[in-house]
Structure formats: C-alpha cells, structure tokens
Amino acid sequence: MSFLSATLDRVKPSPTIAVTTKAAELKSAGRDIIALGAGEPDFDTPENIAKAGQQAIADGKTRYTAPDGIPELKQAICDKFQRENGLTYTPKQISVGTGGKQILYNALMATLNPGDEVIIPAPYWVSYPDMVLLAGGEPVVVEATLEQDFKMSPDALEAAITPNTKWLIFNSPSNPTGAGYSWDELKALTDVLMRHPHVWVMTDDMYEHLAYDDFTFCTPAQVEPALYDRTLTTNGVSKAYAMTGWRIGYAGGPEHLIAAMRKIQSQSTSNPSSISQWAAVEALNGPQDFLAERADAFKRRRNLVVDAMNAIDGITCPTPEGAFYVYPSIKGLIGKSTPGGTVIDTDETFVSELLETEGVAVVFGAAFGLSPNFRISYATSDAALIEACARISRFCNALQ
Ligand code: GLU
C-alpha cells in the first residue's frame, strides 16, 4: 500500500503553477524566455498599499489575528460589497483567507459530501475540479465552446443539474477565456437556479475590475437578490490591486457557511498574514482611481494580442470582455508538423514545442477543459507581448 493518501490519486498538480515554475527554471538556466503562463499583473503593488504593510510591521501588528480576518478588514470588505456590488453583508458574513484559492477550498471542504456534484463550466480555471475532488465531491463539467463565446447556456446548466448538485461555480470575467456574462446572460442562468432551490452558487469575481469596452461586471446575488441566501460571493485583492504575493482573498455569504469555513481555517492555517490584511484594508479603503488606468493598459494589450493572434493562419482568437487572458483556438494547426518532424497532435504538444523552439511559455487548453486551445496571460509589458506574438507567429508559420 502506498504511503501517500489515496485522495492524491484523484488530483493532479496545478498546471498554471507548473508552467510558471518551468519558465522560471529555464530563465535561470540562461534561456531567453517570455513567460505568459502565470496570471498575475506585472504592475507593482501601489505605494500606499505597500506602505500600509510596512506600517503594520512598524506598529507591531505582527501577531495572530482572528482566523478569518481582522474586524477592520471585514468592515472594509462589507463596504466594498455595498459600494461596488450593491450587496449588503455584515462582518459576521465575511471570511478572509490566504488568497481566493483558500476561500474556495474552505467552502468546498465545508460543504461537500461523497457523491455531491459541483457544476463547473468549461473552459474553467484549472483548480476548480481538483479542489472539488480533494473535498470528496464530483465535478460536473459543462462545456461552452468558442462558437458560444465560451459562455454556458441556460439549457446546458438546466441539463447538468441533478438531485445531487450542490454548487455551481461561476467565474466571470473568466480565467482562462476572459469571457464576461452580461446582466441579461447572467439573469438567464440565475432564472434556472431559481427553479432548483437545492443548488447554491459559488462565484469567483477575482477579475471584477478588469472589464473592457462596454462590458459591465455583475455578480449573481446582485442580479437575482432571491439567490442571496444560497450564494457565496468570493473575490480578492490579488489581480485588481497587483497583490498576488500578499495572498488575501475573501467571501461574503450566509453566516452558517462562513462559520463552517472558519472552523476549517482555524484547524489548518489560522489567520492569513496580519501584515497582508492591513495592506488589504488600505487597498479597499484607499484611492481607487488607478484601477481604471490599469484596466486601460490591459485593454490596449488585449487588443494587441488578439490582433496578432488572428493574423496567424490556423489560429482563431475571440476578443474577450475582461480579465487578462485570451484563449485562442489552434484547430487549424492540429495535424501539422514542426520542421523537426514533431506532429502537433494536441494543444499540450503545441505549447511544449513553442516553449522549446521559441521560448514562449503559455498554458495548454486541456488544463482548462477545452481543446485545442492555449491560454496567453497578457499581464506583461507591451514590448514583451510584441516580441512574444512575433515568436508565436514565426513558430506557427514554420509548421507544415
Ligand atoms: N490564477 C492564476 C492563474 O491562473 C495564478 C496561478 C494559479 O493559482 O493558478 O495563472
């Protein structure tokens, strides 16, 4: 019998983390690598936020806190939900964790029993299905193709619901496609949920502030207030405030669920870093005007990458509404061969050959549940993006 837990046989390591690690290794070995794998802003954490972290250290705010967050941060989160989403939560309905990841994980651990199903629209963020499996549940993947703009239809949602369905995980704008559901599109989904009172919805609103053109972000409990009592609205400071390394995510939801999540956190990691929590208070309460400026920069980069991808024979790249990812299809390249004779049979082969030949790190589509595609994170400098797109183009044009 293996020394390791049998649960581990059900899951795989995170492919986004694997690509990021591989790119960093190649770089430190002296290779010229452009890393478009990890989804993290290249901007620095704004100065006022970083200073709040330094001040917390200077003030000795370096001790344990309540396991799921300091009162000041919980209040700042309640204010944020009210101000930006029209959602009323009290501090007892707020949980703060070490990144959005821990919040989602705690919620699944706190609610799933063997046989419980969780509906996950694909393409999905790599960690959703594996977190469900770790928590003992069953992921039910509902595919949304490029022709559907990567958005799940109400009929598909309806068809996926069974008596065992516990959650729908809803992520808009989406990692990895950038697809964002409009108010009406989301309302059509919440209408389905209204017909199935046993199904809860767990949102992942991490990309809320990365919305472009005329797309306006909305979240399920806002669009359908009657769902409030069975919604966990999750978010975090990582992407909007360029704070990925600080690890602060949070959620608002029914008190009994928040209490169950606290129980898990109190027996595992305890509180998220006290210093990061104070920085997050400043992020949420401080000036917000730089968010729009940064979104403008991301929009420019999105346009640059979408245009460059669509100019390549064999690649189709829709223009996403938000986040900082694009998810081009490489259907037109499958079956072709590299000059070295490797057949591009899958998107996984495509990305590994691309990394090998041109030093561009991206993530293969199979990791996100829809192939043949790949994900580009364009949260990097314009210069790096221009060079990366030129390399991707050269790589694709060399395929026969
Ligand atoms: N969410 C980011 C990504 O998709 C960070 C890495 C991760 O935690 O998966 O790249």
Side-chain angles (χ1 to χ4, degrees), residues 14 16-17 37-39 101 125-127 175 207 239 325 375:
S14 162
T16 47
I17 304 286
K101 256 174 153 162
W125 176 49
V126 293
S127 293
N175 175 1
Y207 297 93
K239 315 288 181 176
Y325 306 109
R375 186 190 80 173

Side-chain angles (χ1 to χ4, degrees), residues 66-268:
D68 59 358
I70 54 176
E72 291 82 350
L73 181 51
K74 289 187 177 182
Q75 189 56 54
I77 292 165
C78 291
D79 296 346
K80 176 261 177 272
F81 276 135
Q82 192 70 62
R83 182 176 72 235
E84 296 182 342
N85 311 114
L87 294 174
T88 306
Y89 288 112
T90 63
K92 280 191 173 159
Q93 292 177 281
I94 301 296
S95 185
V96 184
T98 301
K101 256 174 153 162
Q102 189 183 25
I103 289 290
L104 299 170
Y105 185 68
N106 284 349
L108 293 167
M109 288 296 286
T111 54
L112 294 186
N113 290 308
D116 283 348
E117 296 171 3
V118 178
I119 297 177
I120 303 174
Y124 47 70
W125 176 49
V126 293
S127 293
Y128 299 146
D130 290 274
M131 283 183 181
V132 169
L133 290 166
L134 280 173
E138 301 299 330
V140 174
V141 173
V142 177
E143 211 174 85
T145 61
L146 183 142
E147 291 70 30
Q148 296 167 249
D149 297 325
F150 301 123
K151 293 179 204 174
M152 179 175 63
S153 72
D155 288 347
L157 172 59
E158 181 85 58
I161 293 173
T162 75
N164 296 328
T165 308
K166 197 147 225 175
W167 289 102
L168 160 68
I169 299 186
F170 180 76
N171 171 222
S172 163
S174 145
N175 175 1
T177 64
Y181 289 73
S182 69
W183 186 284
D184 290 345
E185 286 166 341
L186 179 48
K187 182 73 171 62
L189 296 182
T190 59
D191 284 350
V192 174
L193 296 180
M194 287 309 293
R195 291 196 287 276
H196 300 276
H198 67 292
V199 182
W200 286 51
V201 56
M202 188 180 303
T203 81
D204 179 348
D205 298 346
M206 195 58 88
Y207 297 93
E208 166 175 18
H209 289 293
L210 300 159
Y212 315 122
D213 306 323
D214 52 5
F215 174 71
T216 307
F217 170 84
C218 51
T219 189
Q222 173 190 28
V223 169
E224 180 48 84
L227 277 180
Y228 176 85
D229 287 333
R230 48 185 169 113
T231 300
L232 185 72
T233 306
T234 85
N235 208 320
V237 295
S238 293
K239 315 288 181 176
Y241 300 95
M243 293 177 70
T244 47
W246 298 80
R247 310 307 301 131
I248 295 292
Y250 58 83
E255 242 182 271
H256 64 100
L257 172 59
I258 295 294
M261 290 163 62
R262 182 186 321 125
K263 195 176 190 179
I264 289 176
Q265 198 158 300
S266 76
Q267 291 290 21
S268 53

